[in-house]
């Protein structure tokens, strides 16, 4: 195996999840990536992990289940599945997820079955989800190359060559080369993002106004006391970790009922095995009141997604990524949000991260009152373009250019 995978495993264990001596680590990984999972397990024990709990996944089996299992099972869940996640989170475990699967692997599956499943399982794991969303526990998501995924990204070349290209692309976004120290590279990268997020927080913007030539004209108010996140986070115990690798974004939460105007997406939105090339949302007082797509089938899919619960049709994330970010400059569509969100300014509908002062310790009702959206879903969609301008309005009424022509103005 390529020796860079060893470095990658070390990087995920020491910087990504940063497992602590005596801590339990939960690893989720596709079963066909077992050799890499084994490296992660060895590294975790080397770092002093108390126990590594494996959760294997398999896209083929998930697909078979969604296609052929009895219909009523999608309205129920196994209490012990939910209990496992809630208990481990309560005990202070860290959660590392390795992804990498066929973007079309769920094609043909009845999308409403997936929606129904998450509608019952989502609330059952509210405790775990909330500890993750508020960064109380360490969590990290990263990806491994996979053959069908590679062929989708690089059609026209042989399977082996496509895998090589995807492997290169992943290592490049992860700052891993044959002869560097990726841990040091990530330290510098996190420092740069941390500096920018501090600066944005200091402006205490009341709102951001997005415009571009595609027809985006959107005002997003930000809650009082909001702060910007990015780079690495700290758990309730003060342990630094990178929730998403790679990462290029700086983000905060919008004010739930303070979003007005229209936004046009700028990159394909992948959902339930279907690719929606472009769409537009119109907002009134925070709520999505109109969905536009070229294909009515896609409109229905989006409407299902934003109808999954009461909060799903409100925004939960405002993220800034320069049009000239390294991942954007690769000009490669990964068909996976983990990467594609780092190539473009984006928004998410659904739950917000509690990025207001004291937010992590607020009750659900207090968060709502602070303007933070709640939902069982959280889906990023891309809105960045080469001509995107974003103007911030400060509490004393000054207009500050934040983005000019797709990039940070400062
Ligand atoms: Zn994001
Ligand atoms: Zn997001």
């Amino acid at each position: 195996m390529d020796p860079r995978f060893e470095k990658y495993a070390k990087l995920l264990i020491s910087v990504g999840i940063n497992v602590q001596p005596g801590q339990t680590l939960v690893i989720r990984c596709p079963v066909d990536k077992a050799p890499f999972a084994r490296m992660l397990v060895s590294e975790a024990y080397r770092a002093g992990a108390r126990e590594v709990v494996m959760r294997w996944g398999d896209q083929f089996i998930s697909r078979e289940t969604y296609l052929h299992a009895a219909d009523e099972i999608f309205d129920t869940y196994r209490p012990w599945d939910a209990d496992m996640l809630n208990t481990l989170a309560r005990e202070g475990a860290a959660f590392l997820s390795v992804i990498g699967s066929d973007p079309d692997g769920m094609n043909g599956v009845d999308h409403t079955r997936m929606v129904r499943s998450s509608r019952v399982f989502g609330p059952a794991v509210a405790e775990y989800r909330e500890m993750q969303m508020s960064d109380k526990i360490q969590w990290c998501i990263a990806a491994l190359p996979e053959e069908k995924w590679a062929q989708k990204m690089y059609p026209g070349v042989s399977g082996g060559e496509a895998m090589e290209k995807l492997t290169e692309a992943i290592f490049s976004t992860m700052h891993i080369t044959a002869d560097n120290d990726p841990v040091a590279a990530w330290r510098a990268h996190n420092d740069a993002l941390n500096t920018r997020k501090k600066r944005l927080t200091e402006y205490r913007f009341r709102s951001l106004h997005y415009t571009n030539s595609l027809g985006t004209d959107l005002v997003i108010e930000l809650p009082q006391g909001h702060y910007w996140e990015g780079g690495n986070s700290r758990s309730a115990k003060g342990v630094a970790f990178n929730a998403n690798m790679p990462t290029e974004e700086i983000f905060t939460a919008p004010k739930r009922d303070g979003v007005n105007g229209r936004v046009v997406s700028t990159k394909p939105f992948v959902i339930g095995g279907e690719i929606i090339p472009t769409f537009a949302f119109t907002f009134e007082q925070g709520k999505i009141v109109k969905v536009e797509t070229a294909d009515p089938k896609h409109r229905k899919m989006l409407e299902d997604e934003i109808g999954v619960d009461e909060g799903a049709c409100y925004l939960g994330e405002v993220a800034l990524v320069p049009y000239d970010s390294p991942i954007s400059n690769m000009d490669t569509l990964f068909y996976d949000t983990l990467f594609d969100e780092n190539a473009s300014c984006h928004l998410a509908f659904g739950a917000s991260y509690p990025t207001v002062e004291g937010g992590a310790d607020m009750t659900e009702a207090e968060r709502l009152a602070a303007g933070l959206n709640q939902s069982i879903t959280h889906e990023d969609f891309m809105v960045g373009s080469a001509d995107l301008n974003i103007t911030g309005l400060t509490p004393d009424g000054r207009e500050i250019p934040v983005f000019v022509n797709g990039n940070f103005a400062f």
Side-chain angles (χ1 to χ4, degrees):
M1 204 190 243
D2 186 328
R4 288 176 298 177
F5 282 100
E6 290 272 0
K7 283 189 174 189
Y8 191 18
K10 272 195 188 117
L11 179 68
L12 293 185
I13 294 298
S14 63
V15 174
I17 197 72
N18 194 9
V19 67
Q20 298 294 296
Q23 188 177 30
T24 299
L25 174 65
V26 184
I27 300 179
R28 217 172 111 180
C29 185
V31 71
D32 54 343
K33 301 295 172 198
F36 187 73
R38 292 184 193 118
M39 285 184 200
L40 290 172
V41 172
S42 299
E43 281 299 332
Y45 282 124
R46 217 166 282 151
R50 172 177 179 261
E51 184 191 3
V52 180
V53 178
M54 271 316 296
R55 296 182 68 222
W56 297 108
D58 187 73
Q59 191 183 34
F60 178 87
I61 294 174
S62 297
R63 177 187 167 79
E64 289 290 293
T65 308
Y66 281 117
L67 282 176
H68 305 301
D71 192 59
E72 69 267 19
I73 75 146
F74 302 104
D75 296 316
T76 175
Y77 68 93
R78 307 285 174 209
W80 54 87
D81 283 340
D83 193 38
M84 179 177 79
L85 291 174
N86 291 333
T87 305
L88 284 163
R90 208 179 302 140
E91 289 172 0
F95 291 80
L96 172 61
S97 286
V98 177
I99 61 166
S101 57
D102 178 3
D104 295 325
M106 289 293 173
N107 276 8
V109 165
D110 178 359
H111 182 61
T112 59
R113 286 190 159 189
M114 294 186 183
V115 172
R116 282 159 57 204
S117 267
S118 58
R119 213 173 252 162
V120 287
F121 196 63
V125 289
E127 186 181 359
Y128 155 73
R129 209 184 56 240
E130 137 58 30
M131 290 181 82
Q132 174 181 331
M133 290 294 280
S134 59
D135 286 345
K136 286 201 178 90
I137 49 176
Q138 299 134 264
W139 58 286
C140 175
I141 306 177
L144 281 179
E146 193 271 345
E147 263 165 49
K148 294 233 174 63
W149 179 22
Q151 280 163 8
K152 171 100 188 168
M153 280 178 62
Y154 308 101
V157 302
S158 75
E161 199 181 323
M163 267 300 267
E164 263 170 49
K165 279 172 169 285
L166 176 54
T167 305
E168 283 307 319
I170 290 177
F171 284 137
S172 151
T173 66
M174 297 293 294
H175 313 288
I176 298 174
T177 66
D179 47 16
N180 78 335
D181 173 6
V183 173
W186 270 85
R187 218 163 271 150
H189 182 56
N190 278 328
D191 285 349
L193 290 168
N194 290 340
T195 304
R196 185 159 264 160
K197 79 184 180 195
K198 269 190 203 125
R199 189 139 184 218
L200 277 164
T201 300
E202 281 161 11
Y203 275 115
R204 294 161 51 232
F205 287 124
R206 206 184 285 165
S207 67
L208 299 174
H209 185 189
Y210 287 57
T211 50
N212 69 14
S213 61
L214 291 166
T216 289
D217 188 350
L218 185 73
V219 175
I220 302 177
E221 291 175 43
L222 302 177
Q224 228 167 27
H226 72 271
Y227 57 85
W228 291 83
E229 264 294 356
N232 51 10
S233 316
R234 281 190 189 273
S235 72
K237 291 195 172 130
V239 181
F241 64 98
N242 273 91
N244 283 355
M245 294 177 90
T247 186
E248 301 288 340
E249 64 172 348
I250 313 275
F251 66 95
T252 190
K255 185 162 175 269
R256 187 182 197 262
D257 59 1
V259 183
N260 287 284
R262 181 168 178 266
V263 67
V264 182
S265 76
T266 52
K267 281 182 193 280
F269 183 69
V270 184
I271 192 168
E274 194 79 33
I275 292 163
I276 303 179
T278 180
F279 63 89
F281 284 149
T282 302
F283 293 84
E284 274 173 24
Q285 292 173 333
K287 195 172 177 174
I288 300 169
V289 292
K290 189 173 167 193
V291 179
E292 297 163 74
T293 60
D295 182 338
K297 182 179 77 177
H298 290 156
R299 198 183 66 229
K300 167 86 171 70
M301 290 182 86
L302 282 171
E303 283 170 352
D304 281 351
E305 284 298 314
I306 64 168
V308 75
D309 64 9
E310 208 199 315
C313 60
Y314 292 86
L315 290 187
E317 180 185 350
V318 181
L320 304 177
V321 180
Y323 192 74
D324 284 328
S325 86
I327 299 180
S328 173
N329 283 335
M330 288 170 79
D331 199 22
T332 301
L333 181 66
F334 282 82
Y335 300 97
D336 193 299
T337 302
L338 184 64
F339 293 87
D340 293 329
E341 71 160 344
N342 289 301
S344 173
C345 279
H346 55 274
L347 303 170
F349 59 83
S352 56
Y353 298 94
T355 48
V356 299
E357 286 157 26
D361 298 317
M362 287 179 182
T363 63
E364 209 162 294
E366 287 169 336
R367 283 186 193 172
L368 268 177
L372 299 168
N373 191 33
Q374 315 277 301
S375 172
I376 58 165
T377 195
H378 175 103
E379 288 288 346
D380 291 352
F381 60 96
M382 313 312 154
V383 301
S385 64
D387 66 345
L388 178 67
N389 292 325
I390 304 174
T391 306
L393 185 68
T394 63
D396 55 359
R398 279 178 303 142
E399 290 191 349
I400 309 285
V402 178
F403 260 57
V404 175
N405 287 330
N407 289 302
F408 272 106
F410 49 80

